Amino acid sequence: MKKIAIFASGNGSNAENIIRYFQSRNLNAEVVLVVSNRTDARVLQRAASFGVHSRVITREMLRDQKAVMSLMRQYEIDFIVLAGFLLMVPSFLVAHYNHRMLNIHPSLLPKFGGKGMYGDNVHKAVVAAGETETGITIHFVSEQYDEGDILFQASTPVETADTPEDVARKIHELEQLHFPRVIADALLSC
Ligand code: GRF
């Protein structure tokens, strides 16, 4: 059984979708841990309601290699999924989970990636730039945040009348549709 940890900072709709996906299928993989950097993140309640353990790790704790690696060992984590995790992942963790750590970014990278490009900032920038399409990118995590090998992209049109909220809704739909399956595929080859 492959064991997955999800790192998430906020709402956790992706985390919940991924937990449900693996709980409802026989894929030889399960989400065993949710890690968040915020005590008030909704993702923590979502994890609890599916019987998944969670831990809150502050920015300082995340840099503590011994503590983080011991947590990963305790839960025998094989694979890490970043689903709306807003802290920089330390390089020791990236190195240890080389090609075993995925991130989802709510744009068609390399467009609208990099510093400050997270959450609604991305959708606002897409609308402001007059883009006619946007999408999601699922990629392996490298030390240069949004620059790891791209595993999957899916796009959606942006209409001239679309607001950032409209774009966010379209992105959310793409994420719900594709993210768990792409994780399952990546797990097969790791
Ligand atoms: C998603 O749009 C994801 O692409 C981005 O952060 C958002 C997280 O949403 N990186 P949620 O917490 O999964 O609801």
Side-chain angles (χ1 to χ4, degrees):
M1 186 69 95
K2 291 258 171 73
K3 296 188 176 171
I4 305 167
I6 300 177
F7 285 44
S9 297
N11 180 28
S13 67
N14 280 285
E16 175 170 339
N17 188 38
I18 297 161
I19 292 169
R20 276 182 196 279
Y21 185 90
F22 285 97
Q23 282 189 351
S24 60
R25 287 169 179 78
N26 270 330
L27 290 171
N28 230 15
E30 60 178 341
V31 178
V32 296
L33 181 66
V34 165
V35 173
S36 182
N37 57 308
R38 298 184 57 125
T39 46
D40 60 349
R42 179 146 176 235
V43 70
L44 297 170
Q45 287 134 42
R46 295 195 195 246
S49 68
F50 286 89
V52 175
H53 288 193
S54 60
R55 282 293 173 89
V56 174
I57 293 190
T58 61
R59 191 184 291 268
E60 291 68 40
M61 283 156 75
L62 191 61
R63 291 199 208 101
D64 181 343
Q65 179 162 359
K66 250 177 112 179
V68 172
M69 291 316 294
S70 124
L71 180 63
M72 296 300 108
R73 267 197 306 277
Q74 182 191 340
Y75 283 90
E76 301 173 337
I77 301 303
D78 299 298
F79 201 94
I80 295 178
V81 175
L82 308 181
F85 188 63
L86 297 181
L87 296 185
M88 191 65 133
V89 179
S91 50
F92 65 81
L93 204 57
V94 174
H96 187 86
Y97 286 95
N98 184 30
H99 283 96
R100 294 188 295 145
M101 190 189 295
L102 282 182
N103 181 42
I104 189 161
H105 186 81
S107 76
L108 295 171
L109 289 175
K111 284 184 158 186
F112 306 101
K115 211 171 157 51
M117 282 294 144
Y118 59 87
D120 291 341
N121 294 352
V122 178
H123 311 313
K124 283 180 192 152
V126 164
V127 169
E131 295 290 304
T132 54
E133 65 164 11
T134 186
I136 58 168
T137 301
I138 298 168
H139 63 93
F140 286 112
V141 177
S142 72
E143 284 187 54
Q144 276 67 42
Y145 229 59
D146 289 334
E147 293 176 15
D149 294 344
I150 290 175
L151 202 57
F152 178 86
Q153 289 189 305
S155 60
T156 181
V158 180
E159 312 297 340
T160 20
D162 278 354
T163 63
E165 292 71 32
D166 295 323
V167 175
R169 188 178 32 77
K170 292 176 179 182
I171 292 298
H172 178 79
E173 281 167 17
L174 288 181
E175 291 178 339
Q176 296 285 306
L177 188 64
H178 298 291
F179 198 15
R181 184 183 43 78
V182 174
I183 295 165
D185 288 350
L187 272 169
L188 279 180
S189 51
C190 85

